[in-house]
Amino acid sequence: MTRALLRFCVLPSALWLLAGCGAPQTAPALTEPASEPPPAASTEINPPSMAIHISDQGEVSEAGTHEAGALIERGERVYQRQCGACHSLDQNRVGPMHRGVIGRAAGTVPGYRYSRALQGLDLVWTDETLDAWLQNPSQMARGTAMGFRLQDAADRAAVIAYLESVSE
Amino acid sequence: MTDRDLIMPSRRAMLGTAGRTLSLAGIAMVAGACTGVASKATADETDSDVQILNAAIALEHEGIAAYQIAATSGLLDPAVVDIGVTFQGHHKGHRDALVSAVQALGGVPAEAESLEHYATALDAASLTNQADVLKLALRLETGAANAYLGLIPALGTDYHQIAARMAGDEAYHAAILANALGEPIPVEPLIFG
């Protein structure tokens, strides 16, 4: 058993040592960071529309800005981990690209082949419609190919805040 | 677990046996699971399962292509290529099991796109070294594990087990890749999902 454990540990370590050895340097570096530890599960984060604190004089407070920034950062991590298998911001993959999704009519990304369910879905993506979609896509468009559900409300709020931030 | 379990087979041996074993096991499981589907599921539910399973097939097509692009990139050490080919064999097993499931439901399985399509979609041109490739693989495997776990509630119950088993495979791949990249072990439980 000890030998087995040692071998389990040594193999990946050897891979790590090999990483970067003898690799041609011919193209620009991949800019996306390695995955970070998952955010702690929580339902205490406010939805994006409530994340920024605005004073009576209409000024955005420093704390509110910081909170909004943290929400967007969390949203990016959740997006990479939960949505990244099928989606990216600028490429149609298993699912359609997401940059600019807020305010876009459903089923209209150029070059992506939508299911019949999405072709017939008559709505515009907003905070509210995206939240409902991510919670249960089949309930909004029966027969959609997107079976994935993002069940944590705070994660949904964070992802929507992130998508808003990259859509501006 | 024994020492024998941990010996990495040669690439030739892996290509010759592992994918076939996984495929047959997966197909047998899916075929067994499907025996009661037709009588229980409505047409809408069956169509929904076909759509979702086809999205999973598309995901597996992309994973298979990603490992193919990586293996032929010239960026990887041969030992790493062997491990990538092993992981690719798992994805081929997943694909075959999912194709069998879609066919059993009377659907048409999603076909693979060209390798060029996947190279563009994954921005393969930006990969410059082995670490870049491993980071991309980790991102895809982590996402795939979460994707399978996240779609379970939408699938008919007959497919819950196979989706969970595939999520387990992806999580295994992700753990190996994260370790190879020197990432810390997550402190919090419930790492995926």
Side-chain angles (χ1 to χ4, degrees):
Chain A
M1 184 64 180
T2 302
R3 285 180 61 196
L5 283 172
L6 281 172
R7 295 181 73 161
F8 179 83
C9 295
V10 166
L11 174 62
S13 300
L15 280 175
W16 170 237
L17 289 172
L18 289 167
C21 295
Q25 305 288 322
T26 56
L30 187 68
T31 55
E32 288 178 293
S35 297
E36 297 179 26
S42 168
T43 55
E44 295 175 358
I45 294 179
N46 293 325
S49 59
M50 300 171 64
I52 298 176
H53 298 169
I54 302 176
S55 71
D56 292 341
Q57 289 75 36
E59 296 171 346
V60 178
S61 73
E62 189 173 332
T65 303
H66 177 75
E67 192 177 335
L71 184 67
I72 290 168
E73 285 179 15
R74 172 178 173 155
E76 182 174 9
R77 286 197 301 273
V78 175
Y79 182 83
Q80 292 294 342
R81 292 181 61 83
Q82 302 284 359
C83 315
C86 297
H87 293 278
S88 60
L89 293 179
D90 297 308
Q91 295 289 340
N92 290 329
R93 294 174 52 213
V94 177
M97 67 179 80
H98 275 154
R99 194 182 298 278
V101 65
I102 304 292
R104 187 161 63 207
T108 60
V109 170
Y112 183 76
R113 290 196 298 269
Y114 286 94
S115 64
R116 285 193 305 276
L118 262 289
Q119 290 172 19
L121 187 60
D122 182 21
L123 61 77
V124 172
W125 295 121
T126 64
D127 292 0
E128 291 74 22
T129 56
L130 268 177
D131 185 67
W133 173 257
L134 292 171
Q135 190 171 4
N136 189 347
S138 300
Q139 197 166 54
M140 290 181 74
R142 191 163 189 81
T144 175
M146 180 164 154
F148 179 82
R149 299 177 186 181
L150 191 54
Q151 298 188 320
D152 186 293
D155 281 349
R156 292 198 303 275
V159 166
I160 292 166
Y162 169 64
L163 291 175
E164 280 189 312
S165 75
V166 298
S167 295
E168 290 167 353
Chain B
M1 183 181 292
T2 67
D3 284 0
R4 188 180 173 198
D5 295 326
L6 296 161
I7 295 172
M8 290 296 297
S10 70
R11 182 177 177 177
R12 184 182 300 273
M14 176 56 66
L15 286 169
T17 60
R20 184 169 64 233
T21 304
L22 279 167
S23 299
L24 291 173
I27 290 166
M29 180 171 57
V30 171
C34 287
T35 54
V37 170
S39 61
K40 288 189 295 187
T42 66
D44 274 358
E45 288 167 344
T46 299
D47 183 57
S48 177
D49 279 346
V50 166
Q51 292 288 338
I52 293 168
L53 291 169
N54 259 335
I57 291 173
L59 181 68
E60 296 294 347
H61 282 321
E62 187 183 73
I64 291 163
Y67 280 110
Q68 190 64 33
I69 292 165
T72 56
S73 67
L75 299 175
L76 302 183
D77 180 272
V80 178
V81 171
D82 280 349
I83 292 171
V85 169
T86 303
F87 288 179
Q88 185 190 50
H90 298 160
H91 287 289
K92 288 178 177 177
H94 297 170
R95 174 203 60 196
D96 293 344
L98 291 163
V99 164
S100 294
V102 167
Q103 289 172 335
L105 290 170
V108 178
E111 293 185 0
E113 305 278 358
S114 69
L115 212 53
E116 290 73 23
H117 167 87
Y118 293 116
T120 301
L122 297 171
D123 198 15
S126 68
L127 304 173
T128 63
N129 55 47
Q130 183 162 274
D132 286 348
V133 176
L134 293 177
K135 286 175 187 173
L136 172 63
L138 173 58
R139 185 160 56 84
L140 294 175
E141 295 286 9
T142 301
N146 288 325
Y148 277 116
L149 292 170
L151 63 78
I152 286 174
L155 272 176
T157 54
D158 290 308
Y159 299 104
H160 287 186
Q161 187 181 32
I162 192 168
R165 293 185 73 186
M166 289 180 183
D169 286 0
E170 318 298 16
Y172 179 91
H173 296 169
I176 294 290
L177 291 162
N179 198 314
L181 284 163
E183 295 204 355
I185 296 172
V187 175
E188 300 294 330
L190 304 176
I191 298 166
F192 293 94

